[in-house]
Structures are given as C-alpha cells and as structure tokens.
Amino acid sequence: LQYKEAKANTVSKAFFINEDLKNFISETSLNKANYRKLLKKFPSEKELMAEFTTFLNDKIKASANMALFINTYKSVTFKGVKLHLFYPSDSVTQGDKLFNQNIFTVVQELPYRFSHNGKQIFSFRPDLSFFLNGMFLGYNELKSNYNNQNAKNNGRKKVAKDYLSAVQEYLEIAGDTDISQTIRK
C-alpha cells in the first residue's frame, strides 16, 4: 500500500505529523514554488508551520469528518498563497504522477487522550492510525482469528464502544451549554 511507518512520538498533540506535512507542502511539484513565497512571509519555517497547522486544525474542526475535509480542501489559500493538501488519483493531465507524491503514513498504537478542565476523561489506543500528507485520517482495530477474535465483536463493536464513550462524555461536559455542538477550548 506504500504506507511508511512512523513512531507515535512524531505525532503532534493536534494529530499532525509535522515533518510529513512540511515535506508535502514544501517539496511536491505543485506546492514547491508557492511554499517558497509563503516562507518569505514568516521569520522562520517553524513559525510558518505552527501557524499553518493551527489554520488547518480550525478547518478540520469545522468539518464533519476527515473524508469530507479532504474532499472539500484538496487545496487551501493561506496568507494569500495556494497550497495543495492532497493530490487525487487519475488526473486527466497528470494521470497518477501527482497522486504518487502523496505521503501515506501509519502509526501503531497511537494513544489518544481526551481531557477537560485538566482531568483525563477517557483514552484509547487504536492498533493503527493513518495519516495523509501529515494529517490524521482515521484509525483501525486489528483482530486475530487465532485468538478467537472477529471483526464484528472485537472490531466494529470496539470502535462503536469507543465512539459511544466519547459522545457520552461530550454530552456530560456540554450539557445544555454547547449551542454550536462543539466543545470550545
């Protein structure tokens, strides 16, 4: 599948693999020149990436899910400069040449912790977490027939249980005060 593997400690608290994101927006064919223009607007590359990931995170939070985010934001305009976030496959003019520049990464057992008011509410550690060009895409639970596990009982039910726990905790915290249906930090 051409995924590369990364360690959990390379993932930021905002769920970006900053090195992959930086490489994609600074080194790929449609982004390279625009990234250089953008870099001139910042005192350092570190500051550019910090502001860019905050910008992306705001757009991700406003999306219903990552599939919709990526479909909506194949490219973005940041500080007046267009950057591509993802290259689709089977382009009319490029075929898969651009698609093959995407960076697909997998991280094993990436911990996720949700805290509110300094207290950890819940946590889980999925078997595999997937990233596209440094942006979190989703996760997967792996099961083994040799341990009498199956996708229905040990996979989908675990994912559904994790999701249900998250929603229940959200509703407990938000109560009637969350008019926009999101928890604001």
Side-chain angles (χ1 to χ4, degrees):
L1 295 175
Q2 297 182 0
Y3 273 80
K4 70 176 192 161
E5 186 173 354
K7 300 291 183 195
N9 64 359
T10 63
V11 179
S12 74
K13 289 182 181 189
F15 281 81
F16 289 100
I17 299 178
N18 290 324
E19 191 65 25
D20 286 356
L21 180 60
K22 182 182 80 68
N23 286 340
F24 185 77
I25 64 173
S26 69
E27 300 298 326
T28 59
S29 58
L30 297 181
N31 283 330
K32 199 175 214 175
N34 282 348
Y35 182 80
R36 287 189 184 125
K37 289 178 196 172
L38 189 58
L39 192 54
K40 292 176 184 176
K41 298 181 178 200
F42 288 87
S44 72
E45 191 169 51
K46 183 178 180 178
E47 291 180 60
L48 182 154
M49 290 305 298
E51 198 167 324
F52 187 61
T53 56
T54 299
F55 167 81
L56 285 181
N57 207 24
D58 289 344
K59 292 199 174 303
I60 290 167
K61 286 178 184 177
S63 297
N65 61 53
M66 283 307 291
L68 292 174
F69 168 79
I70 289 170
N71 192 45
T72 303
Y73 296 105
K74 291 177 186 76
S75 64
V76 293
T77 301
F78 176 64
K79 303 289 183 185
V81 177
K82 181 179 181 178
L83 291 172
H84 295 268
L85 299 178
F86 168 71
Y87 297 141
S89 63
D90 201 24
S91 162
V92 174
T93 57
Q94 302 278 339
D96 280 342
K97 181 180 175 188
L98 291 173
F99 177 80
N100 291 332
Q101 293 179 51
N102 289 309
I103 302 168
F104 297 94
T105 307
V106 64
V107 176
Q108 293 184 41
E109 297 194 359
L110 176 66
Y112 175 77
R113 293 174 189 90
F114 176 74
S115 297
H116 181 68
N117 290 335
K119 179 183 171 196
Q120 183 171 308
I121 305 298
F122 72 93
S123 69
F124 69 102
R125 186 168 40 189
D127 295 328
L128 300 174
S129 295
F130 301 98
F131 292 80
L132 171 61
N133 302 327
M135 299 174 290
F136 176 77
L137 188 58
Y139 71 91
N140 197 348
E141 290 289 335
L142 302 176
K143 300 302 153 205
S144 170
N145 289 338
Y146 299 111
N147 296 335
N148 293 323
Q149 294 179 327
N150 63 55
K152 178 182 177 187
N153 293 325
N154 306 102
R156 291 189 299 263
K157 281 187 180 178
K158 182 179 182 332
V159 170
K161 182 180 171 247
D162 290 343
Y163 179 76
L164 179 61
S165 293
V167 170
Q168 287 172 331
E169 292 297 337
Y170 164 79
L171 292 173
E172 183 70 27
I173 292 167
D176 294 329
T177 64
D178 191 14
I179 297 168
S180 69
Q181 302 301 302
T182 60
I183 295 176
R184 300 281 182 212
K185 290 186 177 183

